[in-house]
Amino acid sequence: MNILLSNDDGYHAEGIQILARELRKFADVTIVAPDRNRSAASGSLTLVEPLRPRHLDDGDYCVNGTPADCVHLALNGFLSGRMDLVISGINAGVNLGDDVIYSGTVAAALEGRHLGLPSIAVSLDGRRYYETAARVVCDLIPKLHTRLLNPREIININVPDIPYDQIKGIKVCRLGHRAASAEVIKQQDPRGESIYWIGPAALPEDDEEGTDFHAVNNGYVAITPIQVDMTSYNSMSALQDWLESE
Ligand code: MN
């Protein structure tokens, strides 16, 4: 099995290195990942400057681009071998609910799916037990049928940051929902100019049973199928009625 591995925390991040080490026990893994932390890059592609992949040890590459750039490049002419699966992660921090809109981790998987391969995003609710998340992924891969993944869908996996033997199980979940973000954080630079930081993600507003938030917060691995089609089908007829009434 040939696996393309990417992430948004950058090639040197602990999460991707631990996952690569574990996957290489049974699969051929090629890392193509950003050369620095590109978290929250979403699905952005670099169009105004060239991408320069840099060859690293073990046939891996880091790229001066976004997570989506890396997967796009790897699958669209840069790598010669055929890939069977795209995995993105292990991200340092969860990608639950609204996070999937901003996440570069999820976007790398979506780019893989867009280019025709089954794709998985995996994130850890912290920075300690990457081995737990790696083991969860390695458990799931042999059971993964490509039939399980419809075209234009990926699976998003979030793992509690606890030892593997404390994981209570795996739950298929819907996305929860976060409250609106807090205000930006205003500071002054050394020259007296105002600068602003985007603050941390807000607390969940919908984390009831059945959501990804609820599963992870209660010691379960959360698996959520994510689709690209964001059309709100329920609103289409109301919008049509409004247009016709004008
Ligand atoms: Mn990240």
Side-chain angles (χ1 to χ4, degrees):
M1 178 181 252
N2 292 310
I3 297 174
L4 172 65
L5 185 56
S6 194
N7 74 348
D8 74 359
D9 295 333
Y11 171 80
H12 293 288
E14 209 179 345
I16 196 171
Q17 291 298 332
I18 289 172
L19 184 55
R21 187 190 72 208
E22 294 305 310
L23 290 171
R24 281 181 169 135
K25 291 176 181 171
F26 64 91
D28 287 320
V29 177
T30 305
I31 296 179
V32 182
D35 61 3
R36 69 199 80 168
N37 190 333
R38 301 301 298 261
S39 291
S42 187
S44 62
L45 293 173
T46 302
L47 303 180
V48 294
E49 56 183 295
L51 298 172
R52 295 184 193 276
R54 200 149 53 85
H55 195 192
L56 304 158
D57 301 339
D58 304 324
D60 293 334
Y61 298 88
C62 66
V63 181
N64 61 330
T66 64
D69 283 332
C70 291
V71 174
H72 189 95
L73 178 75
L75 298 180
N76 242 351
F78 176 65
L79 296 182
S80 50
R82 163 95 196 143
M83 291 291 156
D84 302 302
L85 178 67
V86 175
I87 304 179
S88 177
I90 303 163
N91 189 59
V94 285
N95 279 301
L96 300 168
D98 306 89
D99 299 342
V100 302
I101 297 290
Y102 303 98
S103 170
T105 308
V106 171
L110 287 172
E111 189 66 16
R113 183 66 267 180
H114 189 53
L115 297 174
L117 289 182
S119 301
I120 298 169
V122 55
S123 304
L124 181 70
D125 186 16
R127 294 161 182 269
R128 269 185 90 185
Y129 292 96
Y130 289 108
E131 270 86 2
T132 301
R135 231 172 122 180
V136 166
V137 171
C138 292
D139 288 349
L140 288 173
I141 285 175
K143 300 176 197 159
L144 196 81
H145 304 291
T146 46
R147 263 176 301 138
L148 276 177
L149 288 168
N150 296 318
R152 297 173 70 75
E153 284 187 15
I154 63 153
I155 58 175
N156 186 37
I157 303 175
N158 283 276
V159 180
D161 193 14
I162 54 180
Y164 181 83
D165 56 13
Q166 289 176 23
I167 295 279
K168 289 191 193 150
I170 300 180
K171 286 192 174 184
V172 176
C173 305
R174 68 177 176 86
L175 293 177
H177 176 54
R178 284 194 194 275
S181 298
E183 285 187 0
V184 292
I185 299 155
K186 185 179 181 181
Q187 294 179 338
Q188 271 196 346
D189 78 5
R191 290 165 199 85
E193 300 285 342
S194 295
I195 56 170
Y196 300 86
W197 291 94
I198 290 176
L203 293 172
E205 200 169 58
D206 172 11
D207 59 354
E208 66 184 31
E209 197 163 355
T211 65
D212 48 2
F213 285 102
H214 190 275
V216 170
N217 291 338
N218 287 280
Y220 291 87
V221 174
I223 295 191
T224 304
I226 306 275
Q227 61 184 359
V228 176
D229 184 352
M230 293 198 281
T231 309
S232 176
Y233 290 95
N234 290 338
S235 299
M236 286 180 76
S237 63
L239 199 56
Q240 188 65 42
D241 291 348
W242 168 73
L243 279 177
E244 284 166 8
S245 69
E246 287 296 296

